PDB file of all heavy atoms in Angstrom:
ATOM      1  N   LYS H   1       0.815  -1.207   0.025  1.00  0.00           N
ATOM      2  CA  LYS H   1      -0.018   0.012   0.006  1.00  0.00           C
ATOM      3  C   LYS H   1       0.849   1.266   0.028  1.00  0.00           C
ATOM      4  O   LYS H   1       0.552   2.244  -0.635  1.00  0.00           O
ATOM      5  CB  LYS H   1      -0.950   0.051   1.223  1.00  0.00           C
ATOM      6  CG  LYS H   1      -1.987  -1.004   1.113  1.00  0.00           C
ATOM      7  CD  LYS H   1      -2.840  -1.050   2.414  1.00  0.00           C
ATOM      8  CE  LYS H   1      -3.808  -2.252   2.435  1.00  0.00           C
ATOM      9  NZ  LYS H   1      -4.454  -2.415   3.717  1.00  0.00           N
ATOM     10  N   SER H   2       1.974   1.225   0.732  1.00  0.00           N
ATOM     11  CA  SER H   2       2.926   2.363   0.724  1.00  0.00           C
ATOM     12  C   SER H   2       3.467   2.592  -0.651  1.00  0.00           C
ATOM     13  O   SER H   2       3.565   3.734  -1.126  1.00  0.00           O
ATOM     14  CB  SER H   2       4.067   2.071   1.704  1.00  0.00           C
ATOM     15  OG  SER H   2       3.620   2.055   3.030  1.00  0.00           O
ATOM     16  N   PHE H   3       3.841   1.504  -1.316  1.00  0.00           N
ATOM     17  CA  PHE H   3       4.328   1.631  -2.690  1.00  0.00           C
ATOM     18  C   PHE H   3       3.316   2.224  -3.597  1.00  0.00           C
ATOM     19  O   PHE H   3       3.631   3.104  -4.431  1.00  0.00           O
ATOM     20  CB  PHE H   3       4.864   0.311  -3.262  1.00  0.00           C
ATOM     21  CG  PHE H   3       6.341   0.062  -2.967  1.00  0.00           C
ATOM     22  CD1 PHE H   3       6.744  -0.373  -1.769  1.00  0.00           C
ATOM     23  CD2 PHE H   3       7.258   0.228  -3.974  1.00  0.00           C
ATOM     24  CE1 PHE H   3       8.069  -0.690  -1.499  1.00  0.00           C
ATOM     25  CE2 PHE H   3       8.633   0.012  -3.762  1.00  0.00           C
ATOM     26  CZ  PHE H   3       9.027  -0.451  -2.495  1.00  0.00           C
ATOM     27  N   ALA H   4       2.067   1.796  -3.488  1.00  0.00           N
ATOM     28  CA  ALA H   4       1.016   2.403  -4.325  1.00  0.00           C
ATOM     29  C   ALA H   4       0.855   3.837  -4.075  1.00  0.00           C
ATOM     30  O   ALA H   4       0.763   4.670  -5.027  1.00  0.00           O
ATOM     31  CB  ALA H   4      -0.314   1.639  -4.051  1.00  0.00           C
ATOM     32  N   ARG H   5       0.846   4.217  -2.780  1.00  0.00           N
ATOM     33  CA  ARG H   5       0.666   5.629  -2.396  1.00  0.00           C
ATOM     34  C   ARG H   5       1.856   6.473  -2.915  1.00  0.00           C
ATOM     35  O   ARG H   5       1.660   7.560  -3.455  1.00  0.00           O
ATOM     36  CB  ARG H   5       0.537   5.735  -0.919  1.00  0.00           C
ATOM     37  CG  ARG H   5       0.400   7.173  -0.456  1.00  0.00           C
ATOM     38  CD  ARG H   5       0.185   7.221   1.098  1.00  0.00           C
ATOM     39  NE  ARG H   5       0.480   8.592   1.508  1.00  0.00           N
ATOM     40  CZ  ARG H   5       0.880   8.908   2.747  1.00  0.00           C
ATOM     41  NH1 ARG H   5       1.074   7.945   3.626  1.00  0.00           N
ATOM     42  NH2 ARG H   5       1.082  10.125   3.087  1.00  0.00           N
ATOM     43  N   PHE H   6       3.092   6.008  -2.659  1.00  0.00           N
ATOM     44  CA  PHE H   6       4.275   6.802  -2.950  1.00  0.00           C
ATOM     45  C   PHE H   6       4.713   6.779  -4.415  1.00  0.00           C
ATOM     46  O   PHE H   6       5.738   7.378  -4.806  1.00  0.00           O
ATOM     47  CB  PHE H   6       5.442   6.430  -2.013  1.00  0.00           C
ATOM     48  CG  PHE H   6       5.149   6.692  -0.583  1.00  0.00           C
ATOM     49  CD1 PHE H   6       5.387   5.749   0.350  1.00  0.00           C
ATOM     50  CD2 PHE H   6       4.657   7.888  -0.191  1.00  0.00           C
ATOM     51  CE1 PHE H   6       5.127   5.977   1.785  1.00  0.00           C
ATOM     52  CE2 PHE H   6       4.352   8.171   1.181  1.00  0.00           C
ATOM     53  CZ  PHE H   6       4.597   7.246   2.116  1.00  0.00           C
ATOM     54  N   THR H   7       3.921   6.166  -5.230  1.00  0.00           N
ATOM     55  CA  THR H   7       4.114   6.198  -6.683  1.00  0.00           C
ATOM     56  C   THR H   7       2.907   6.828  -7.399  1.00  0.00           C
ATOM     57  O   THR H   7       2.840   6.779  -8.574  1.00  0.00           O
ATOM     58  CB  THR H   7       4.452   4.794  -7.293  1.00  0.00           C
ATOM     59  OG1 THR H   7       3.367   3.957  -6.966  1.00  0.00           O
ATOM     60  CG2 THR H   7       5.740   4.238  -6.702  1.00  0.00           C
ATOM     61  N   SER H   8       1.994   7.398  -6.628  1.00  0.00           N
ATOM     62  CA  SER H   8       0.778   8.005  -7.181  1.00  0.00           C
ATOM     63  C   SER H   8       1.089   9.393  -7.752  1.00  0.00           C
ATOM     64  O   SER H   8       2.227   9.909  -7.550  1.00  0.00           O
ATOM     65  CB  SER H   8      -0.328   8.088  -6.118  1.00  0.00           C
ATOM     66  OG  SER H   8       0.044   9.044  -5.095  1.00  0.00           O
ATOM     67  N   GLU H   9       0.109   9.920  -8.425  1.00  0.00           N
ATOM     68  CA  GLU H   9       0.316  11.225  -9.154  1.00  0.00           C
ATOM     69  C   GLU H   9       0.718  12.385  -8.260  1.00  0.00           C
ATOM     70  O   GLU H   9       1.524  13.177  -8.633  1.00  0.00           O
ATOM     71  CB  GLU H   9      -0.938  11.553  -9.914  1.00  0.00           C
ATOM     72  CG  GLU H   9      -0.764  12.709 -10.857  1.00  0.00           C
ATOM     73  CD  GLU H   9      -2.034  13.006 -11.683  1.00  0.00           C
ATOM     74  OE1 GLU H   9      -2.736  12.024 -11.974  1.00  0.00           O
ATOM     75  OE2 GLU H   9      -2.302  14.138 -11.966  1.00  0.00           O
ATOM     76  N   ASN H  10       0.146  12.399  -7.023  1.00  0.00           N
ATOM     77  CA  ASN H  10       0.402  13.564  -6.161  1.00  0.00           C
ATOM     78  C   ASN H  10       1.338  13.248  -5.046  1.00  0.00           C
ATOM     79  O   ASN H  10       1.354  13.935  -4.003  1.00  0.00           O
ATOM     80  CB  ASN H  10      -0.879  14.173  -5.653  1.00  0.00           C
ATOM     81  CG  ASN H  10      -1.628  13.208  -4.680  1.00  0.00           C
ATOM     82  OD1 ASN H  10      -1.338  12.033  -4.696  1.00  0.00           O
ATOM     83  ND2 ASN H  10      -2.533  13.740  -3.925  1.00  0.00           N
ATOM     84  N   CYS H  11       2.131  12.202  -5.202  1.00  0.00           N
ATOM     85  CA  CYS H  11       3.103  11.867  -4.172  1.00  0.00           C
ATOM     86  C   CYS H  11       4.351  11.268  -4.806  1.00  0.00           C
ATOM     87  O   CYS H  11       4.280  10.446  -5.743  1.00  0.00           O
ATOM     88  CB  CYS H  11       2.518  10.832  -3.266  1.00  0.00           C
ATOM     89  SG  CYS H  11       3.578  10.412  -1.807  1.00  0.00           S
ATOM     90  N   LYS H  12       5.530  11.757  -4.386  1.00  0.00           N
ATOM     91  CA  LYS H  12       6.770  11.169  -4.837  1.00  0.00           C
ATOM     92  C   LYS H  12       7.551  10.642  -3.664  1.00  0.00           C
ATOM     93  O   LYS H  12       7.944  11.388  -2.757  1.00  0.00           O
ATOM     94  CB  LYS H  12       7.621  12.299  -5.499  1.00  0.00           C
ATOM     95  CG  LYS H  12       6.915  13.082  -6.551  1.00  0.00           C
ATOM     96  CD  LYS H  12       6.668  12.259  -7.773  1.00  0.00           C
ATOM     97  CE  LYS H  12       6.047  13.131  -8.855  1.00  0.00           C
ATOM     98  NZ  LYS H  12       5.095  12.387  -9.710  1.00  0.00           N
ATOM     99  N   GLY H  13       7.698   9.328  -3.621  1.00  0.00           N
ATOM    100  CA  GLY H  13       8.381   8.640  -2.532  1.00  0.00           C
ATOM    101  C   GLY H  13       9.744   8.169  -2.984  1.00  0.00           C
ATOM    102  O   GLY H  13       9.931   7.775  -4.128  1.00  0.00           O
ATOM    103  N   PHE H  14      10.718   8.222  -2.090  1.00  0.00           N
ATOM    104  CA  PHE H  14      12.077   7.861  -2.348  1.00  0.00           C
ATOM    105  C   PHE H  14      12.683   7.024  -1.245  1.00  0.00           C
ATOM    106  O   PHE H  14      12.403   7.205  -0.094  1.00  0.00           O
ATOM    107  CB  PHE H  14      12.961   9.103  -2.482  1.00  0.00           C
ATOM    108  CG  PHE H  14      12.518  10.088  -3.542  1.00  0.00           C
ATOM    109  CD1 PHE H  14      11.669  11.123  -3.196  1.00  0.00           C
ATOM    110  CD2 PHE H  14      12.917   9.967  -4.834  1.00  0.00           C
ATOM    111  CE1 PHE H  14      11.201  12.038  -4.105  1.00  0.00           C
ATOM    112  CE2 PHE H  14      12.451  10.860  -5.814  1.00  0.00           C
ATOM    113  CZ  PHE H  14      11.590  11.909  -5.411  1.00  0.00           C
ATOM    114  N   PHE H  15      13.565   6.133  -1.600  1.00  0.00           N
ATOM    115  CA  PHE H  15      14.400   5.458  -0.620  1.00  0.00           C
ATOM    116  C   PHE H  15      15.741   6.193  -0.582  1.00  0.00           C
ATOM    117  O   PHE H  15      16.272   6.684  -1.576  1.00  0.00           O
ATOM    118  CB  PHE H  15      14.684   4.006  -1.021  1.00  0.00           C
ATOM    119  CG  PHE H  15      13.499   3.099  -0.768  1.00  0.00           C
ATOM    120  CD1 PHE H  15      12.638   2.769  -1.781  1.00  0.00           C
ATOM    121  CD2 PHE H  15      13.217   2.647   0.512  1.00  0.00           C
ATOM    122  CE1 PHE H  15      11.467   2.010  -1.572  1.00  0.00           C
ATOM    123  CE2 PHE H  15      12.051   1.840   0.763  1.00  0.00           C
ATOM    124  CZ  PHE H  15      11.222   1.520  -0.323  1.00  0.00           C
ATOM    125  N   ILE H  16      16.237   6.358   0.684  1.00  0.00           N
ATOM    126  CA  ILE H  16      17.484   7.087   0.865  1.00  0.00           C
ATOM    127  C   ILE H  16      18.599   6.036   0.716  1.00  0.00           C
ATOM    128  O   ILE H  16      18.695   5.069   1.515  1.00  0.00           O
ATOM    129  CB  ILE H  16      17.522   7.768   2.249  1.00  0.00           C
ATOM    130  CG1 ILE H  16      16.298   8.654   2.390  1.00  0.00           C
ATOM    131  CG2 ILE H  16      18.815   8.452   2.485  1.00  0.00           C
ATOM    132  CD1 ILE H  16      16.067   9.093   3.868  1.00  0.00           C
ATOM    133  N   PHE H  17      19.506   6.306  -0.233  1.00  0.00           N
ATOM    134  CA  PHE H  17      20.619   5.427  -0.480  1.00  0.00           C
ATOM    135  C   PHE H  17      21.909   6.062   0.037  1.00  0.00           C
ATOM    136  O   PHE H  17      22.261   7.166  -0.390  1.00  0.00           O
ATOM    137  CB  PHE H  17      20.703   5.076  -1.957  1.00  0.00           C
ATOM    138  CG  PHE H  17      21.766   4.090  -2.292  1.00  0.00           C
ATOM    139  CD1 PHE H  17      21.592   2.729  -1.989  1.00  0.00           C
ATOM    140  CD2 PHE H  17      22.943   4.429  -2.997  1.00  0.00           C
ATOM    141  CE1 PHE H  17      22.534   1.790  -2.280  1.00  0.00           C
ATOM    142  CE2 PHE H  17      23.857   3.500  -3.324  1.00  0.00           C
ATOM    143  CZ  PHE H  17      23.684   2.157  -2.974  1.00  0.00           C
ATOM    144  N   TYR H  18      22.597   5.407   0.963  1.00  0.00           N
ATOM    145  CA  TYR H  18      23.843   5.953   1.520  1.00  0.00           C
ATOM    146  C   TYR H  18      25.017   5.301   0.720  1.00  0.00           C
ATOM    147  O   TYR H  18      25.265   4.155   0.875  1.00  0.00           O
ATOM    148  CB  TYR H  18      23.942   5.676   3.025  1.00  0.00           C
ATOM    149  CG  TYR H  18      25.119   6.319   3.643  1.00  0.00           C
ATOM    150  CD1 TYR H  18      25.231   7.666   3.763  1.00  0.00           C
ATOM    151  CD2 TYR H  18      26.169   5.462   4.240  1.00  0.00           C
ATOM    152  CE1 TYR H  18      26.360   8.222   4.382  1.00  0.00           C
ATOM    153  CE2 TYR H  18      27.209   6.097   4.844  1.00  0.00           C
ATOM    154  CZ  TYR H  18      27.335   7.450   4.909  1.00  0.00           C
ATOM    155  OH  TYR H  18      28.414   8.001   5.550  1.00  0.00           O
ATOM    156  N   LYS H  19      25.596   6.120  -0.137  1.00  0.00           N
ATOM    157  CA  LYS H  19      26.567   5.602  -1.078  1.00  0.00           C
ATOM    158  C   LYS H  19      27.887   5.005  -0.449  1.00  0.00           C
ATOM    159  O   LYS H  19      28.359   3.997  -0.940  1.00  0.00           O
ATOM    160  CB  LYS H  19      26.930   6.678  -2.128  1.00  0.00           C
ATOM    161  CG  LYS H  19      25.779   6.939  -3.060  1.00  0.00           C
ATOM    162  CD  LYS H  19      25.941   8.182  -3.942  1.00  0.00           C
ATOM    163  CE  LYS H  19      27.195   8.138  -4.800  1.00  0.00           C
ATOM    164  NZ  LYS H  19      27.294   9.274  -5.695  1.00  0.00           N
ATOM    165  N   PRO H  20      28.395   5.650   0.616  1.00  0.00           N
ATOM    166  CA  PRO H  20      29.649   5.021   1.147  1.00  0.00           C
ATOM    167  C   PRO H  20      29.488   3.606   1.601  1.00  0.00           C
ATOM    168  O   PRO H  20      30.431   2.767   1.454  1.00  0.00           O
ATOM    169  CB  PRO H  20      29.962   5.973   2.349  1.00  0.00           C
ATOM    170  CG  PRO H  20      29.347   7.266   1.974  1.00  0.00           C
ATOM    171  CD  PRO H  20      28.080   6.969   1.228  1.00  0.00           C
ATOM    172  N   ASP H  21      28.322   3.205   2.080  1.00  0.00           N
ATOM    173  CA  ASP H  21      28.054   1.836   2.516  1.00  0.00           C
ATOM    174  C   ASP H  21      27.267   1.056   1.525  1.00  0.00           C
ATOM    175  O   ASP H  21      26.974  -0.112   1.780  1.00  0.00           O
ATOM    176  CB  ASP H  21      27.356   1.858   3.896  1.00  0.00           C
ATOM    177  CG  ASP H  21      28.277   2.381   4.995  1.00  0.00           C
ATOM    178  OD1 ASP H  21      29.511   2.544   4.744  1.00  0.00           O
ATOM    179  OD2 ASP H  21      27.770   2.698   6.090  1.00  0.00           O
ATOM    180  N   GLN H  22      26.847   1.709   0.408  1.00  0.00           N
ATOM    181  CA  GLN H  22      26.072   0.998  -0.597  1.00  0.00           C
ATOM    182  C   GLN H  22      24.802   0.370   0.027  1.00  0.00           C
ATOM    183  O   GLN H  22      24.517  -0.815  -0.220  1.00  0.00           O
ATOM    184  CB  GLN H  22      26.878  -0.025  -1.370  1.00  0.00           C
ATOM    185  CG  GLN H  22      27.989   0.600  -2.230  1.00  0.00           C
ATOM    186  CD  GLN H  22      27.384   1.391  -3.386  1.00  0.00           C
ATOM    187  OE1 GLN H  22      26.826   0.795  -4.305  1.00  0.00           O
ATOM    188  NE2 GLN H  22      27.590   2.715  -3.389  1.00  0.00           N
ATOM    189  N   THR H  23      24.059   1.102   0.839  1.00  0.00           N
ATOM    190  CA  THR H  23      22.882   0.616   1.511  1.00  0.00           C
ATOM    191  C   THR H  23      21.813   1.621   1.609  1.00  0.00           C
ATOM    192  O   THR H  23      22.052   2.838   1.602  1.00  0.00           O
ATOM    193  CB  THR H  23      23.225   0.054   2.919  1.00  0.00           C
ATOM    194  OG1 THR H  23      22.215  -0.695   3.478  1.00  0.00           O
ATOM    195  CG2 THR H  23      23.631   1.205   3.891  1.00  0.00           C
ATOM    196  N   PHE H  24      20.566   1.101   1.725  1.00  0.00           N
ATOM    197  CA  PHE H  24      19.389   1.915   1.915  1.00  0.00           C
ATOM    198  C   PHE H  24      19.245   2.206   3.392  1.00  0.00           C
ATOM    199  O   PHE H  24      19.349   1.225   4.226  1.00  0.00           O
ATOM    200  CB  PHE H  24      18.125   1.281   1.364  1.00  0.00           C
ATOM    201  CG  PHE H  24      18.158   1.298  -0.154  1.00  0.00           C
ATOM    202  CD1 PHE H  24      18.613   0.193  -0.858  1.00  0.00           C
ATOM    203  CD2 PHE H  24      17.757   2.407  -0.884  1.00  0.00           C
ATOM    204  CE1 PHE H  24      18.652   0.134  -2.259  1.00  0.00           C
ATOM    205  CE2 PHE H  24      17.834   2.444  -2.260  1.00  0.00           C
ATOM    206  CZ  PHE H  24      18.211   1.318  -2.941  1.00  0.00           C
ATOM    207  N   ILE H  25      18.967   3.416   3.813  1.00  0.00           N
ATOM    208  CA  ILE H  25      18.882   3.725   5.235  1.00  0.00           C
ATOM    209  C   ILE H  25      17.509   4.320   5.663  1.00  0.00           C
ATOM    210  O   ILE H  25      17.314   4.512   6.848  1.00  0.00           O
ATOM    211  CB  ILE H  25      20.059   4.708   5.646  1.00  0.00           C
ATOM    212  CG1 ILE H  25      19.912   6.057   4.955  1.00  0.00           C
ATOM    213  CG2 ILE H  25      21.423   4.031   5.392  1.00  0.00           C
ATOM    214  CD1 ILE H  25      20.808   7.121   5.531  1.00  0.00           C
ATOM    215  N   GLY H  26      16.668   4.598   4.732  1.00  0.00           N
ATOM    216  CA  GLY H  26      15.401   5.174   5.118  1.00  0.00           C
ATOM    217  C   GLY H  26      14.588   5.618   3.879  1.00  0.00           C
ATOM    218  O   GLY H  26      14.842   5.226   2.748  1.00  0.00           O
ATOM    219  N   THR H  27      13.621   6.544   4.162  1.00  0.00           N
ATOM    220  CA  THR H  27      12.705   6.983   3.113  1.00  0.00           C
ATOM    221  C   THR H  27      12.512   8.466   3.240  1.00  0.00           C
ATOM    222  O   THR H  27      12.700   9.110   4.241  1.00  0.00           O
ATOM    223  CB  THR H  27      11.306   6.325   3.192  1.00  0.00           C
ATOM    224  OG1 THR H  27      10.733   6.641   4.474  1.00  0.00           O
ATOM    225  CG2 THR H  27      11.450   4.802   3.103  1.00  0.00           C
ATOM    226  N   ALA H  28      12.092   9.106   2.059  1.00  0.00           N
ATOM    227  CA  ALA H  28      11.742  10.554   2.043  1.00  0.00           C
ATOM    228  C   ALA H  28      10.585  10.639   1.060  1.00  0.00           C
ATOM    229  O   ALA H  28      10.433   9.812   0.189  1.00  0.00           O
ATOM    230  CB  ALA H  28      12.917  11.360   1.583  1.00  0.00           C
ATOM    231  N   LYS H  29       9.799  11.724   1.249  1.00  0.00           N
ATOM    232  CA  LYS H  29       8.657  11.900   0.388  1.00  0.00           C
ATOM    233  C   LYS H  29       8.227  13.372   0.221  1.00  0.00           C
ATOM    234  O   LYS H  29       8.595  14.174   1.045  1.00  0.00           O
ATOM    235  CB  LYS H  29       7.464  11.144   0.936  1.00  0.00           C
ATOM    236  CG  LYS H  29       6.901  11.751   2.232  1.00  0.00           C
ATOM    237  CD  LYS H  29       5.698  11.066   2.724  1.00  0.00           C
ATOM    238  CE  LYS H  29       5.225  11.709   4.029  1.00  0.00           C
ATOM    239  NZ  LYS H  29       4.004  11.215   4.505  1.00  0.00           N
ATOM    240  N   LEU H  30       7.640  13.556  -0.908  1.00  0.00           N
ATOM    241  CA  LEU H  30       6.886  14.822  -1.107  1.00  0.00           C
ATOM    242  C   LEU H  30       5.458  14.316  -1.339  1.00  0.00           C
ATOM    243  O   LEU H  30       5.180  13.582  -2.325  1.00  0.00           O
ATOM    244  CB  LEU H  30       7.344  15.536  -2.349  1.00  0.00           C
ATOM    245  CG  LEU H  30       8.756  16.145  -2.217  1.00  0.00           C
ATOM    246  CD1 LEU H  30       9.293  16.577  -3.632  1.00  0.00           C
ATOM    247  CD2 LEU H  30       8.740  17.340  -1.255  1.00  0.00           C
ATOM    248  N   ASP H  31       4.582  14.699  -0.488  1.00  0.00           N
ATOM    249  CA  ASP H  31       3.184  14.185  -0.456  1.00  0.00           C
ATOM    250  C   ASP H  31       2.174  15.351  -0.634  1.00  0.00           C
ATOM    251  O   ASP H  31       2.565  16.475  -0.431  1.00  0.00           O
ATOM    252  CB  ASP H  31       2.929  13.487   0.878  1.00  0.00           C
ATOM    253  CG  ASP H  31       1.804  12.441   0.822  1.00  0.00           C
ATOM    254  OD1 ASP H  31       1.175  12.341  -0.230  1.00  0.00           O
ATOM    255  OD2 ASP H  31       1.543  11.855   1.866  1.00  0.00           O
ATOM    256  N   LYS H  32       1.046  14.989  -1.086  1.00  0.00           N
ATOM    257  CA  LYS H  32      -0.063  15.909  -1.314  1.00  0.00           C
ATOM    258  C   LYS H  32       0.473  17.076  -2.186  1.00  0.00           C
ATOM    259  O   LYS H  32       0.172  18.284  -1.929  1.00  0.00           O
ATOM    260  CB  LYS H  32      -0.596  16.482  -0.006  1.00  0.00           C
ATOM    261  CG  LYS H  32      -1.204  15.366   0.850  1.00  0.00           C
ATOM    262  CD  LYS H  32      -1.707  15.869   2.168  1.00  0.00           C
ATOM    263  CE  LYS H  32      -2.199  14.732   3.021  1.00  0.00           C
ATOM    264  NZ  LYS H  32      -2.430  15.030   4.402  1.00  0.00           N
ATOM    265  N   ILE H  33       1.178  16.695  -3.239  1.00  0.00           N
ATOM    266  CA  ILE H  33       1.706  17.695  -4.234  1.00  0.00           C
ATOM    267  C   ILE H  33       0.529  18.349  -4.909  1.00  0.00           C
ATOM    268  O   ILE H  33      -0.343  17.664  -5.456  1.00  0.00           O
ATOM    269  CB  ILE H  33       2.623  17.033  -5.240  1.00  0.00           C
ATOM    270  CG1 ILE H  33       3.801  16.386  -4.516  1.00  0.00           C
ATOM    271  CG2 ILE H  33       3.054  17.998  -6.284  1.00  0.00           C
ATOM    272  CD1 ILE H  33       4.710  15.475  -5.411  1.00  0.00           C
ATOM    273  N   SER H  34       0.449  19.628  -4.856  1.00  0.00           N
ATOM    274  CA  SER H  34      -0.595  20.436  -5.470  1.00  0.00           C
ATOM    275  C   SER H  34      -0.067  21.300  -6.561  1.00  0.00           C
ATOM    276  O   SER H  34       0.771  22.125  -6.377  1.00  0.00           O
ATOM    277  CB  SER H  34      -1.259  21.350  -4.418  1.00  0.00           C
ATOM    278  OG  SER H  34      -2.173  22.238  -5.022  1.00  0.00           O
ATOM    279  N   GLN H  35      -0.646  21.065  -7.771  1.00  0.00           N
ATOM    280  CA  GLN H  35      -0.288  21.943  -8.941  1.00  0.00           C
ATOM    281  C   GLN H  35      -1.176  23.167  -8.927  1.00  0.00           C
ATOM    282  O   GLN H  35      -1.051  24.009  -9.768  1.00  0.00           O
ATOM    283  CB  GLN H  35      -0.397  21.140 -10.262  1.00  0.00           C
ATOM    284  CG  GLN H  35       0.610  20.062 -10.335  1.00  0.00           C
ATOM    285  CD  GLN H  35       2.088  20.562 -10.198  1.00  0.00           C
ATOM    286  OE1 GLN H  35       2.474  21.670 -10.687  1.00  0.00           O
ATOM    287  NE2 GLN H  35       2.899  19.782  -9.496  1.00  0.00           N
TER     288      GLN H  35
END
């Protein structure tokens, strides 16, 4: 359900990738995007 929400038209979800350790450490989002 999170994936469905964070890939919808008015929401942009991201996983935070920490390059030095080549690992994912969290998430970030822009939600309720209003044009």
Side-chain angles (χ1 to χ4, degrees):
K1 290 175 190 170
S2 294
F3 268 79
R5 177 176 166 210
F6 295 133
T7 57
S8 68
E9 187 177 329
N10 67 341
C11 185
K12 307 290 182 216
F14 302 94
F15 284 99
I16 303 165
F17 186 69
Y18 186 64
K19 290 169 58 176
D21 293 347
Q22 294 291 294
T23 192
F24 290 97
I25 64 168
T27 62
K29 68 177 178 175
L30 291 168
D31 201 359
K32 299 178 184 167
I33 299 169
S34 170
Q35 294 304 322

